């Protein structure tokens, strides 16, 4: 079944929102204890280091949830799931995907690199109909459990 451009845009926006929800949730989990101990003033002083720590620290978090559940909080809320193109998702596939997302999707959280890679990943998504990290790790993001089941059967 060929994906229409409108459907591609819908899924792309859902994927973007899912990643934003994941980043916000993970950032809040890290930031709340940090602020509790050191106060808001320390956030302003160490802002760049915190952003990079959240981007890099997110890798094991994302890899675990992708491997264990096929989705993080954002994909769960938006009814998306990561599936393997050939088999069940192995932990090594989930790690490769998480590292690639951190580098190629988030630019390690470093400005302006993060904005540049976000732009290029969006362009590649609409040209390839997939992302570089899904291509590299042999995964795909699909809607709902029914779509995931149908994708796995093909």
């Amino acid at each position: 079944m060929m994906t229409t451009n409108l459907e591609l845009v819908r899924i792309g926006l859902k994927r973007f929102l899912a990643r934003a929800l994941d980043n916000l949730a993970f950032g809040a989990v890290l930031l709340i204890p940090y602020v509790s101990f050191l106060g808001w003033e320390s956030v302003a002083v160490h802002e760049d280091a915190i952003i990079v720590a959240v981007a890099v620290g997110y890798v094991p978090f994302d890899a675990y949830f992708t491997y264990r559940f096929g989705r993080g909080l954002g994909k769960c809320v938006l009814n998306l799931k990561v599936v393997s193109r050939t088999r069940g998702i192995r932990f090594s596939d989930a790690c490769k995907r998480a590292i690639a997302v951190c580098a190629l999707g988030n630019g390690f959280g470093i400005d302006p690199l993060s904005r540049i890679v976000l732009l290029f990943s969006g362009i590649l998504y609409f040209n390839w109909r997939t992302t570089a990290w899904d291509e590299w790790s042999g995964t795909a993001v699909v809607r709902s459990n029914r779509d995931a089941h149908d994708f796995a059967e093909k």
Side-chain angles (χ1 to χ4, degrees):
M1 180 173 110
M2 184 65 172
T3 306
T4 66
N5 286 338
L6 182 60
E7 185 64 17
L8 194 65
V9 169
R10 271 194 217 126
I11 293 172
L13 288 174
K14 281 180 126 181
R15 289 181 70 164
F16 179 80
L17 289 174
R19 178 66 53 196
L21 284 172
D22 285 348
N23 287 341
L24 285 173
F26 184 72
V29 166
L30 288 183
L31 197 58
I32 289 170
Y34 182 87
V35 170
S36 298
F37 289 112
L38 300 174
W40 280 108
E41 300 80 26
S42 64
V43 172
V45 172
H46 301 106
E47 181 181 357
D48 292 338
I50 291 170
I51 291 170
V52 172
V54 167
V56 174
Y58 183 74
V59 170
F61 172 81
D62 187 37
Y64 172 76
F65 279 95
T66 299
Y67 169 69
R68 182 79 170 91
F69 305 107
R71 60 181 91 192
L73 174 67
K75 284 186 179 62
C76 187
V77 167
L78 295 168
N79 204 25
L80 297 172
K81 187 169 186 170
V82 179
V83 296
S84 173
R85 293 184 179 165
T86 58
R87 61 191 175 281
I89 295 177
R90 295 183 303 189
F91 188 67
S92 61
D93 297 333
C95 287
K96 281 182 8 182
R97 185 178 192 281
I99 290 167
V101 166
C102 182
L104 303 173
N106 294 341
F108 297 106
I110 300 168
D111 249 354
L113 181 62
S114 60
R115 294 171 196 222
I116 294 167
V117 297
L118 180 64
L119 175 66
F120 280 112
S121 64
I123 291 168
L124 292 175
Y125 174 74
F126 287 107
N127 287 331
W128 293 356
R129 298 186 180 273
T130 187
T131 59
W133 47 92
D134 282 331
E135 206 48 45
W136 186 51
S137 62
T139 59
V141 175
V142 295
R143 293 173 304 163
S144 78
N145 290 333
R146 191 178 70 85
D147 289 345
H149 183 265
D150 293 345
F151 186 83
E153 286 181 350
K154 292 179 182 178

